[in-house]
Amino acid sequence: MTIQLMTDGGADLPQQLEKKLNVTVVPLYLHFSNEQYRTGIDMTTAEFHNKMRTADELPLSSAPVQTIFTKPINKLIQTKPF
């Protein structure tokens, strides 16, 4: 049996751990005023912390929509036997 791990960007896993455990991470969306970022894609954790220090307002976050999970799930199903 193979176990595959999947999480969203809110887990904020270190990249070394993601690679070691082969974790699939789906990004969260962060909204700073009128700017939108995807965790782990458009913005690193360090960049997020820096932006938090200088932002006029606290950011909002939104969970990934269900359809964003479809592609990674299908990839896991097709490449890993159950």
Side-chain angles (χ1 to χ4, degrees), residues 19-65:
K19 290 178 184 177
K20 180 180 178 181
L21 299 177
N22 195 28
V23 178
T24 300
V25 180
V26 177
L28 288 178
Y29 289 89
L30 299 173
H31 308 273
F32 283 92
S33 298
N34 61 349
E35 300 172 324
Q36 178 175 288
Y37 302 92
R38 295 168 293 171
T39 58
I41 296 174
D42 304 317
M43 178 177 278
T44 66
T45 301
E47 291 168 334
F48 171 74
H49 290 145
N50 287 335
K51 190 147 183 84
M52 285 282 294
R53 288 184 193 98
T54 60
D56 293 331
E57 296 179 20
L58 292 175
L60 299 174
S61 63
S62 58
V65 294

Side-chain angles (χ1 to χ4, degrees), residues 4-5 20-22 35 44 55 70 73-75 79:
Q4 293 293 304
L5 301 174
K20 180 180 178 181
L21 299 177
N22 195 28
E35 300 172 324
T44 66
T70 304
I73 287 172
N74 286 336
K75 183 179 176 185
T79 59

